[in-house]
Amino acid sequence: MNDLRDLYAEVVMDHNRRPRNFKKIDGADRTADGFNPLCGDQISLFLNLGDDDSIKDIGYVAVGCAISKAAASMMSEAVKGQSVADAQRVVTEFRHMLTHRDGEEPNYEIMGDLEILEGVANYPTRIKCATLPLHTLASAIDSGSEKTVSTE
Ligand code: ZN
């Protein structure tokens, strides 16, 4: 148990010290802003999409608590280079992991480091910190209706 907590703290701190893909993308294909008033977390997200509807590049600028910033960094790694449909699956599985709504095991494999945030489910006031970047990603993906998203 202590080992798990140490690992959790270490990974969260690492993403805060060296946030991945922390950048603004000028002229991005898609953008969205997210705000969590409960904690004051803010994020601006930028996406560039490839012709095959993959996430060619992702960047974000975030201010807020350690959990929200770590979640943004972990998310950016998990979805960069993935198809838009797979990125949406990451969002769905992550929310599933934090709510355990239907009692089924979430798909940990596609979440990368985001998996480490499962313990946040025990702190209901922090769940919105962790889900903010993923909600913002979903909203950025939805923001352009001119592109048709494949549902396979
Ligand atoms: Zn927060």
Side-chain angles (χ1 to χ4, degrees):
M1 190 65 192
N2 276 332
D3 286 352
L4 191 65
R5 262 206 301 269
D6 289 350
L7 176 68
Y8 165 83
E10 203 173 292
V11 174
V12 168
M13 275 171 58
D14 180 59
H15 278 275
N16 272 275
R17 263 197 313 261
R18 300 186 300 121
R20 324 304 198 255
N21 304 300
F22 194 103
K23 64 187 176 190
K24 184 175 188 291
I25 300 176
D26 289 321
D29 294 336
R30 305 281 174 86
T31 63
D33 295 318
F35 178 51
N36 171 20
L38 286 178
C39 181
D41 309 312
Q42 288 180 53
I43 181 168
S44 296
L45 189 83
F46 311 94
L47 293 179
N48 273 336
L49 302 181
D51 293 336
D52 55 352
D53 255 338
S54 65
I55 295 181
K56 223 166 57 179
D57 201 9
I58 178 169
Y60 63 89
V61 176
V63 287
C65 68
I67 291 176
S68 68
K69 290 196 288 189
S73 175
M74 293 168 181
M75 173 190 79
S76 71
E77 280 197 313
V79 304
K80 191 173 178 179
Q82 305 289 329
S83 68
V84 165
D86 282 347
Q88 285 169 320
R89 280 181 61 217
V90 170
V91 175
T92 306
E93 292 297 324
F94 185 71
R95 284 159 62 179
H96 178 48
M97 178 178 82
L98 289 187
T99 55
H100 291 287
R101 201 168 289 141
D102 49 19
E104 272 175 45
E105 280 276 293
N107 182 343
Y108 293 109
E109 268 173 44
I110 62 170
M111 280 191 276
D113 279 355
L114 285 168
E115 180 189 341
I116 207 97
L117 295 176
E118 183 165 31
V120 172
N122 298 320
Y123 303 93
T125 55
R126 310 312 299 275
I127 289 177
K128 288 203 162 117
C129 302
T131 55
L132 175 71
L134 290 108
H135 282 302
T136 309
L137 172 66
S139 145
I141 288 172
D142 288 343
S143 68
S145 51
E146 75 283 0
K147 285 221 177 193
T148 312
V149 175
S150 163
T151 53
E152 294 175 58

